[in-house]
Amino acid sequence: MLDHSSVVPLYHQLKELLKEAIEKEGGKPGDKMPSENELCAQYNISRNTAKKAIEDLVQEGVLKRVKGKGTFIAKPKLEQSLSGFYSFSKVMQESGIESKDIIIDLKVVEPTTKVMRVLQLLHGDKVIELKRLRCANKEPIIFETSYIPEHFVSRISTEDIQNSSLYDVMEKTFGIIVAKAKEVFEPILIQEYESKYLEVKEGYPALLLERIAFDTSENPVEFCHSVVRGDRCRFYTELI
């Protein structure tokens, strides 16, 4: 039961109780949760307290709301190790999940100051800007923007990368082998522009993944900016 005299807010107590109940009772993805009214009656709490607990669990990816039907246990988060290259395609393949990339835009653009600095470009150099929506079982997971120096992949087309890994195309078509990368992660909130593609509300929690990829000669060949849904993905590392 909830402790109404505790300094811990009631909604937080309820959230933790619901998480424990799901774990203890072996709840499965798709199982329906009690309604807010049912929670109010069971725990003697206000509608706002029940709503806040549910909303937090939805944002954490534990629960999922279905309009007009109720709240259900969500699918497990997709996991990726930080000990090696992050590869969405590889993770999906290893998990037996159908992956699909939707090409939103592919064009030649003038690089921003940051992109120019990261890719070590000269004034006048241009980059290929590739925007993709990466999906798992038809669900949008990552909104990704890649910048590649134009002189490396000047003839790249949508058809080249529609059904292939970008790095595979770079290697097989343009002879560019990605040998290593530097990646940085940080928590962010999804912006309005990104929310439309990722099908979540503006302000939803997410991870920003920025990667600089290098070829065998340690030349930077790609700068990638990925917005990863925080409710659907998590990253881990193993310490020895």
Side-chain angles (χ1 to χ4, degrees):
M1 298 300 293
L2 303 182
D3 182 356
H4 288 252
S5 65
S6 173
V7 295
V8 179
L10 289 175
Y11 79 86
H12 186 79
Q13 292 184 50
L14 177 59
K15 181 180 75 169
E16 294 303 313
L17 275 178
L18 293 176
K19 288 168 68 174
E20 174 65 17
I22 292 171
E23 183 71 25
K24 187 175 181 179
E25 297 171 13
K28 299 177 181 179
D31 288 353
K32 191 171 184 179
M33 296 293 292
S35 68
E36 291 175 6
N37 286 336
E38 290 171 332
L39 292 173
C40 290
Q42 181 177 353
Y43 293 102
N44 188 28
I45 54 176
S46 69
R47 182 73 179 270
N48 284 340
T49 297
K51 183 178 181 180
K52 173 63 174 171
I54 294 297
E55 285 180 345
D56 280 10
L57 289 173
V58 170
Q59 286 206 334
E60 290 179 13
V62 176
L63 301 180
K64 180 178 181 179
R65 288 188 186 275
V66 179
K67 191 173 182 179
K69 295 184 177 180
T71 305
F72 302 82
I73 297 177
K75 292 178 287 187
K77 292 188 178 185
L78 305 172
E79 292 190 340
Q80 167 64 33
S81 172
L82 294 177
S83 60
F85 246 40
Y86 174 75
S87 170
F88 181 77
S89 301
K90 183 178 179 181
V91 171
M92 296 303 98
Q93 185 178 16
E94 292 177 348
S95 303
I97 297 173
E98 178 187 359
S99 65
K100 181 180 180 181
D101 289 346
I102 300 174
I103 309 300
I104 297 173
D105 201 8
L106 177 66
K107 61 185 178 183
V108 178
V109 300
E110 298 282 347
T112 64
T113 300
K114 180 177 181 178
V115 172
M116 182 179 292
R117 172 175 52 80
V118 168
L119 294 177
Q120 300 176 14
L121 300 174
L122 301 175
H123 286 287
D125 287 344
K126 295 185 178 181
V127 293
I128 300 293
E129 181 185 72
L130 167 63
K131 291 184 178 294
R132 294 185 290 179
L133 186 62
R134 317 206 69 178
C135 305
N137 288 338
K138 299 181 181 180
E139 181 182 22
I141 301 295
I142 303 174
F143 183 74
E144 184 175 278
T145 305
S146 290
Y147 299 95
I148 310 166
E150 184 190 20
H151 58 267
F152 284 138
V153 292
S154 59
R155 304 181 310 281
I156 197 168
S157 66
T158 300
E159 290 71 23
D160 290 331
I161 54 180
Q162 185 66 67
N163 299 306
S164 301
S165 161
L166 174 60
Y167 289 170
D168 284 347
V169 172
M170 290 174 68
E171 179 176 351
K172 296 175 181 178
T173 305
F174 301 99
I176 301 170
I177 299 175
V178 175
K180 69 175 186 178
K182 177 182 178 181
E183 295 180 335
V184 176
F185 297 78
E186 67 176 281
I188 60 169
L189 299 178
I190 291 176
Q191 303 298 307
E192 180 183 7
Y193 169 66
E194 300 152 349
S195 70
K196 295 176 182 178
Y197 290 103
L198 292 171
E199 298 179 4
V200 295
K201 294 180 180 179
E202 180 184 2
Y204 221 68
L207 284 173
L208 170 63
L209 186 161
E210 288 192 335
R211 168 193 288 173
I212 308 171
F214 301 86
D215 64 13
T216 52
S217 299
E218 299 198 359
N219 298 308
V221 294
E222 181 210 24
F223 174 57
C224 183
H225 178 285
S226 299
V227 177
V228 185
R229 279 177 54 178
D231 65 320
R232 295 297 294 118
C233 298
R234 66 179 180 178
F235 299 83
Y236 69 91
T237 186
E238 297 180 8
L239 304 177
I240 299 175

